[in-house]
Structure formats: C-alpha cells, structure tokens
Amino acid sequence: MEHTRRPTLIEYVLSQQKAHPGATGEFSILLTQIALAGKIISRELKQAGLAGSLGLSGETNIFGEEVKKLDQFANQIFVRTLEGSSMVCIMSSEEMSEPAEFECDQVGAKYVVVIDPLDGSSNTDVNGNLGSIFAIYPKISKGPRGSEEDLLQPAANIAAAGYIVYGPGTVFVYAADGCVSGFTLDIGYGEFMLSHPDVKIPHKGRYYSVNESYYSKWDRPTQMFVDYLRGTDSGGAKPHSSRYSGSLTADFHRIMLEGGVYLYPGEIKDGKKTSGKLRLLYEAAPLAYVVYQAGGLASTGSHRILEMKPTDLHQRVPLIIGSAEDVIVAEELNRKRGL
Ligand code: FDP
C-alpha cells in the first residue's frame, strides 16, 4: 500500500532551505524548538482545567497587570526551549521585565527572538482560544553576546515570524522569504503537518475585529473607520461582519484566511491620543511581518508598522492590521483628519 502524507514542519523547512545553498540548517532547528514550545503549551492548555493550572499566579507584572499561572508557564517553556536550541543569544518576552541572555559558544548563537508566550490570556479560564507570537531577528551587534541593540530592530529586519493558535486544533503559521505557511498539529504523530501552503490574505475583507466598547474613547477617524466597517457611514459600502474573541492571535488568524481587519486603537485621555494596549515588539511587529508576506498591511493609522524602529522593549502601539484595502481606508481617514 502506498503511503502518502503531508510534509511535517521540519520536512517543509528543510525543503525550503534547499533554495539557499549556504544554509546550515540552524534556522530549522530554531523553528523546530519554537514548534516544540507550541506543542507543550497546547498539551498543557488541553488539561489545564483538570491540572489546576488555571487562575492567577498571585503576582503582578511591571505594568501592574495580574499574571495568570498559564502566562508564567508558557513563558518558562519558551525560555527553556529557546535556550535548548543553542541558536539564540538573547530573547525578550512580553512576560519578562528584562531580556534573557543565553551562553553563546565559539561559533556564536546568531539569532535573537522576541515572544508573546500566551496572547489573549483573559480566555484561559473560559476555555477560549489563545495564541503565541514570535519573531526571529539576526544578531547585529558585534561581539559574542547579545544586547538590547539586537532586540530593538525594525520589523523590516525580521528573518522569520509567526504565531501559534491554540483552538479546537493547534495551528502553527510562519512567514519567511516571502511565503506564509500553516501547519496543523496531528496529535497522533505529535507533529505539525502542512495544512495551509502559501497563505495569501484577501485584498479586501469580510470581517472586522475590535473591542467596540471603547468607541466613545476613540478619536474621530477611528470612529469613522469603524462606522465604515459597520456600513453605517454615508458611503453605503457593504458592511463587514463583526468577530472579536479577546485573543489577537485567533482574530488575526481568521482575518489572514478570510480577509478583513483587526484593530486595537489608542484612546483619547486628557485630550491626548494614547498608544493602545498592544506591544510593538511582541505583537504588532511579528504579525505585521506575517501579514505583509501574505499581501496585507499593518499600520498605526499614520505609520506602517514594518518601518517603525522600537525605542523601548515594551513600547505600545496602535494597530490596524489585515487586508490591504481595508487598512488603506483607515490610513486615508487619518490623513484627511490630519492626525
Ligand atoms: P490579553 O491582554 O488578554 O493577552 O495581547 C493583548 C490582548 O489580550 C489581545 O490578545 C486581545 O485582542 C486584547 O488584548 C483584548 O483586550 P481588551 O479586553 O481590551 O479588548
């Protein structure tokens, strides 16, 4: 009997590397380790209700937010698996106030990784969808050790980025070399198998994802954009359908496959526009890289995310991300209002 099956993540990455004659295979080891972290977190999430790992850890992070036990668990898993790869000199995580530095051998670990280990953590206790987000940069600083300079690179320097969605199935999506590919975890094999080759985001979308309870706190261009998406403005465009799960990764994944736009705007506080909730380094930049490789766009409304150079590890940024045509409408509304 002939045995046919889909390629595994590692088989696929190795086949892609054939296009790069100088490739050493180190990059595929690193992606495999990130996928391993995803498998471990996926397993833990599936049994969290029984294993007593739901709820708060009792600690607050540097931003005063309460930390969930699963946030800490996911962070530790990523730190250990990245250290175990021996390919990473420094990493930074949304869950850590300071970066983690790893020992670099003579050859030198030449990669730098940023992660949001568990995105959408308000969903943990209600069996909702969650995600992890990552980006891999080349080390640019001189010398054997990694530094903050390596972490504060613009998204345009990313070598590969992706996300993992923990839903009814676990899906690993990564972008590199102008191509976005999705893999679904086969629980029997314990492997991510190619399920979404060459993902392209539709040019215009069907869905929008935003927490509309903040409508009264947004500036006028943001309100006008959401009115446009709802079809309640005078333009008479066909409305987009609303979907908001409380997990950026899960909402973004829908938009990658079916088109549309996710936004998390800044609010107006004391007459000034704030930067919203999402982090440039751990959320906006990696997903901007992914959406761009799939043919979409990511913007603050006035600046393209890929062109921004982070100034701080935990910098926040307004985010409008998804189908190119939808993001451009938001940018034009901002421009008309001179913001
Ligand atoms: P969370 O804080 O629960 O980790 O990353 C931030 C994020 O989730 C996004 O995943 C999500 O879309 C958003 O915050 C939810 O925030 P709101 O409750 O303010 O809508």
Side-chain angles (χ1 to χ4, degrees):
M1 192 174 72
E2 195 191 350
H3 172 70
T4 52
R5 62 161 173 80
R6 297 158 186 268
T8 64
L9 171 67
I10 184 72
E11 286 170 345
Y12 183 79
V13 176
L14 288 172
S15 72
Q16 297 294 97
Q17 281 196 350
K18 285 190 185 138
H20 300 274
T24 57
E26 291 171 343
F27 185 69
S28 42
I29 296 175
L30 181 48
L31 273 178
T32 311
Q33 287 296 96
I34 292 173
L36 172 63
K39 289 181 206 172
I40 297 171
I41 294 166
S42 172
R43 194 185 66 169
E44 186 65 24
L45 292 176
K46 289 209 185 304
Q47 59 197 22
L50 299 172
S53 47
L54 297 178
L56 300 172
S57 67
E59 291 174 22
T60 51
N61 64 20
I62 45 164
F63 310 103
E65 298 159 346
E66 291 178 315
V67 176
K68 303 247 181 192
K69 288 184 206 165
L70 283 168
D71 282 326
Q72 281 183 338
F73 172 82
N75 191 58
Q76 281 167 14
I77 294 299
F78 269 103
V79 172
R80 286 194 198 132
T81 48
L82 290 173
E83 185 173 19
S85 76
S86 302
M87 303 292 150
V88 180
C89 58
I90 192 165
M91 66 165 285
S92 189
S93 159
E94 192 189 299
E95 290 301 324
M96 304 189 311
S97 53
E98 297 295 329
E101 266 196 71
F102 303 131
E103 255 182 45
C104 302
D105 60 16
Q106 291 259 310
V107 183
K110 60 182 183 193
Y111 294 108
V112 175
V113 178
V114 293
I115 53 156
D116 178 356
L118 200 61
D119 164 68
S121 43
S122 69
N123 284 358
T124 49
D125 296 350
V126 297
N127 199 24
N129 288 353
L130 292 136
S132 300
I133 305 173
F134 65 91
I136 304 169
Y137 292 84
K139 178 181 182 310
I140 52 169
S141 64
K142 301 270 179 282
R145 297 180 57 180
S147 71
E148 201 168 276
E149 179 192 354
D150 294 310
L151 293 163
L152 296 179
Q153 298 186 54
N157 288 7
I158 288 175
Y163 60 87
I164 305 164
V165 186
Y166 309 105
T170 300
V171 177
F172 181 104
V173 177
Y174 90 95
D177 289 329
C179 184
V180 183
S181 315
F183 302 80
T184 301
L185 184 60
D186 183 310
I187 303 171
Y189 288 161
E191 292 283 355
F192 283 104
M193 315 297 287
L194 183 64
S195 51
H196 299 77
D198 198 15
V199 178
K200 295 281 179 235
I201 186 168
H203 191 62
K204 184 174 165 47
R206 294 169 52 197
Y207 294 107
Y208 74 102
S209 296
V210 63
N211 187 338
E212 301 195 52
S213 67
Y214 301 123
Y215 186 91
S216 64
K217 298 179 180 168
W218 294 333
D219 63 11
R220 200 53 204 128
T222 306
Q223 290 177 336
M224 286 165 72
F225 181 52
V226 173
D227 291 345
Y228 156 83
L229 295 167
R230 289 167 169 173
T232 53
D233 68 347
S234 53
K238 190 166 177 258
H240 291 52
S241 281
S242 170
R243 298 282 188 277
Y244 192 72
S245 73
S247 163
L248 162 65
T249 321
D251 288 326
F252 177 72
H253 186 57
R254 178 198 308 279
I255 281 160
M256 279 287 287
L257 299 184
E258 303 195 333
V261 64
Y262 173 100
L263 62 156
Y264 203 108
E267 298 169 9
I268 302 290
K269 275 194 189 139
D270 303 324
K272 281 196 177 152
K273 190 169 172 180
T274 61
S275 296
K277 179 182 187 187
L278 303 182
R279 307 300 201 288
L280 174 56
L281 208 54
Y282 312 111
E283 292 164 317
L287 297 185
Y289 179 85
V290 173
V291 85
Y292 182 73
Q293 308 275 321
L297 289 174
S299 173
T300 64
S302 53
H303 296 92
R304 292 278 162 89
I305 301 288
L306 276 190
E307 289 156 15
M308 294 178 74
K309 179 167 169 9
T311 52
D312 181 278
L313 289 178
H314 295 284
Q315 182 178 348
R316 295 175 197 258
V317 72
L319 180 65
I320 306 164
I321 188 166
S323 294
E325 199 175 308
D326 291 323
V327 175
I328 287 169
V329 170
E331 289 179 331
E332 278 169 2
L333 286 167
N334 270 293
R335 228 181 338 265
K336 278 186 198 150
R337 282 278 164 158
L339 287 170

